[in-house]
Amino acid sequence: MSRLLRRVVCAAALAVFGCESMPGRPVPSDRPVRPTQITSFDLLWGTHCAGCHGADGSLGAARPMKEPLYLAWVDDGSLRRTIRAGVPGTLMPAFGAAQGGGLTDEQIEILIRSMRSRWGQPGRFAGAALPAYAAPPGDAERGAAVYAEFCAGCHGSDGTGGTVRGSIVDPAYLALVSDQALRTVVVAGRADLGMPDFRMAKPGTPMTDQQIADVVAWLVGHRVEFPGQPFAAKEKTHG
């Protein structure tokens, strides 16, 4: 074998075998992962959900997802629609790729499955009579009586706040939440804020479906067209 041929063979062997062990050579695991290829729940949750719902599903600005009753009550279809399309008129954005968000359908399913497997406790509510997830508001006049029976003890006789809890009729709050969000807080409560669910608002007397719908109507009736307060007019000074 000529010297030139030996050099060519050695160079080829080095390229094929030697470079594999060279320091600093990238390996397949070093390749960047496209956002649409992420399948880790922790990464998906931390990137898209934790900012509002908390790093571990609780103690965030928005409703905690780490609530067994809520997860037993809400169905997959409702979760899927909310994550994919968001909730118009609220701070919940659309995360579905088709709606301009960054999550694929597969990633949305990973979020739903993992929330249920990590934080759900379906056995606690097996056979329990839970209200329907979605229902239109009922009658606001009847809702006033329901509010007085189940809610006024904490939120005050007119909903503007009591000795235990704050206002539930604040215009800014009502402007930021949907009718469904109001129904959700009545049914599932807010354990992180000390608000009981529909079974415990009056211990021993769970709220009926009709009472839930009626008190939601009463809350909706307190919305105002233009929430918030404009800057106070400056007083004119003379002299």
Side-chain angles (χ1 to χ4, degrees):
M1 181 182 295
S2 68
R3 180 177 299 178
L4 177 59
L5 183 57
R6 284 198 300 270
R7 288 179 179 176
V8 171
V9 171
C10 289
L14 180 63
V16 174
F17 302 106
C19 292
E20 292 295 331
S21 59
M22 290 180 65
R25 176 181 173 81
V27 296
S29 60
D30 293 329
R31 295 174 182 169
V33 178
R34 295 178 182 274
T36 55
Q37 296 174 323
I38 295 174
T39 57
S40 163
F41 170 76
D42 291 327
L43 285 176
L44 292 172
W45 180 269
T47 302
H48 300 279
C49 313
C52 291
H53 296 285
D56 68 343
S58 62
L59 301 180
R63 157 161 294 282
M65 294 290 103
K66 192 178 182 180
E67 282 192 355
L69 172 58
Y70 175 75
L71 291 174
W73 178 54
V74 65
D75 59 275
D76 284 359
S78 297
L79 283 174
R80 192 175 295 119
R81 286 189 297 272
T82 299
I83 297 172
R84 181 180 295 151
V87 182
T90 75
L91 297 179
M92 175 65 189
F95 285 105
Q99 288 74 27
L103 293 177
T104 65
D105 288 347
E106 179 186 0
Q107 290 171 326
I108 292 173
E109 296 304 316
I110 290 171
L111 285 171
I112 294 172
R113 289 196 305 268
S114 298
M115 282 192 290
R116 293 199 183 285
S117 63
R118 293 189 180 204
W119 302 329
Q121 299 176 22
R124 282 179 53 186
F125 306 98
L130 299 179
Y133 175 73
D139 180 82
E141 187 173 345
R142 290 196 306 261
V146 176
Y147 175 84
E149 180 179 358
F150 290 92
C151 316
C154 289
H155 295 285
S157 60
D158 60 357
T160 57
T163 57
V164 181
R165 296 286 175 260
S167 174
I168 195 67
V169 294
D170 181 85
Y173 167 70
L174 293 176
L176 291 171
V177 295
S178 64
D179 291 2
Q180 179 60 47
L182 291 172
R183 180 177 176 82
T184 297
V185 78
V186 173
V187 174
R190 282 290 300 263
D192 57 324
L193 300 179
M195 179 172 176
D197 60 59
F198 79 105
R199 304 165 303 165
M200 302 304 296
K202 185 178 179 180
T205 308
M207 298 174 73
T208 66
D209 285 13
Q210 188 62 62
Q211 287 173 325
I212 292 168
D214 289 342
V215 80
V216 169
W218 183 82
L219 290 168
V220 169
H222 283 76
R223 284 202 182 108
V224 297
E225 186 176 3
F226 301 107
Q229 182 175 342
F231 292 109
K234 293 183 179 180
E235 293 183 5
K236 293 183 178 180
T237 57
H238 300 279

